[in-house]
Amino acid sequence: MADKAAIVTGASSGIGLAVADTLGELGYGLPLSARRPEKLEAAAQPLIDKGYDVQVLPAMLGEEDEVKRVVAAHREHFGRLDVLVNNAGVGFGSAVGEMQTKRVDMMLDLNLRSPVLFYRESVEMLREAGAEHRNALVVNTASIAGKSGQAWLSVYAATKAALVNFTESMNKELSNDGIKSTALCPAFVDTPMTDFAKSNGVEATDMIRPEDIAESVRFLLTLSPACIVPEIQFVRPGELGL
């Protein structure tokens, strides 16, 4: 059994999978959660093959009972939580007059409500870790879109802006308990979520790599308890936005 543990959501591909790989390399027990069981199990297998202590927890992460189930299963298996990675998210582009309510609700539920619920359900375990080593960490995957409004990505950008703000609030509320929070704000990352950009002329080779984001988590875990990094922006050469 690993002597430290991390929950990673949205772990079946892209940023979440890269972060999980890094945390496994660092010796963290890994409950991995995402929506599609088959995809999550396939993604987890190479990590299991590396000898990482992996727990596969498929879940609909926008639903309250599912969030509770994931945290309870983690607590039962590992008994502690040192790192929480709120990475699960979804994005749909639309002009304001053509927005579908179902898609608006999905973005609000998964991009914002789910991280809030994971904090609530995990905070006691995080406080215990914070009391032990003063370096419990929550990483929230936001977006560079959360730093300014974006046409046709307005709801997505709004949810990510709210997540950045919530991260700031959590530092003010929880940092004295040894719990740090960081919002990661990347521009286009080469993941399935950016396939729309690839079909509109942005080459995958010109995008940020998921491993770039994962390395930032490694860096955050090396910091002393006296150092909090509230936010990290990742931009592409020559650009300040998406």
Side-chain angles (χ1 to χ4, degrees), residues 23 47 79 123 193:
L23 289 169
L47 305 185
V123 70
M193 185 177 279

Side-chain angles (χ1 to χ4, degrees), residues 58-111:
M60 299 295 290
L61 296 170
E63 299 180 9
E64 181 178 13
D65 288 345
E66 293 284 89
V67 172
K68 290 180 176 179
R69 179 176 63 81
V70 168
V71 176
H74 166 85
R75 183 185 293 109
E76 181 178 355
H77 186 81
F78 289 102
R80 64 178 296 132
L81 181 62
D82 302 271
V83 178
L84 169 62
V85 182
N86 287 312
N87 174 72
V90 65
F92 301 105
S94 174
V96 66
E98 301 170 359
M99 290 178 180
Q100 299 177 25
T101 303
K102 180 179 179 180
R103 289 185 169 185
V104 171
D105 288 345
M106 287 175 65
M107 287 185 280
L108 290 169
D109 287 347
L110 195 55
N111 298 356

Side-chain angles (χ1 to χ4, degrees), residues 129-169:
E132 178 184 326
H133 52 65
R134 309 299 298 172
N135 245 342
L137 176 66
V138 183
V139 174
N140 298 315
T141 302
S143 169
I144 202 69
K147 302 305 296 178
S148 63
Q150 298 290 330
W152 297 284
L153 287 173
S154 55
V155 176
Y156 176 78
T159 61
K160 295 303 187 178
L163 187 57
V164 171
N165 188 281
F166 186 74
T167 303
E168 294 172 358
S169 297

Side-chain angles (χ1 to χ4, degrees), residues 149-208:
Q150 298 290 330
W152 297 284
L153 287 173
S154 55
V155 176
Y156 176 78
T159 61
K160 295 303 187 178
L163 187 57
V164 171
N165 188 281
F166 186 74
T167 303
E168 294 172 358
S169 297
M170 289 300 95
N171 276 321
K172 292 178 179 178
E173 183 173 330
L174 300 176
S175 60
N176 286 335
D177 295 329
I179 304 169
K180 306 175 180 182
S181 294
T182 300
L184 305 182
C185 302
F188 287 139
V189 181
D190 183 16
T191 71
M193 185 177 279
T194 57
D195 285 346
F196 77 96
K198 297 164 194 169
S199 65
N200 284 282
V202 181
E203 297 293 334
T205 53
D206 293 330
M207 291 185 176
I208 297 163

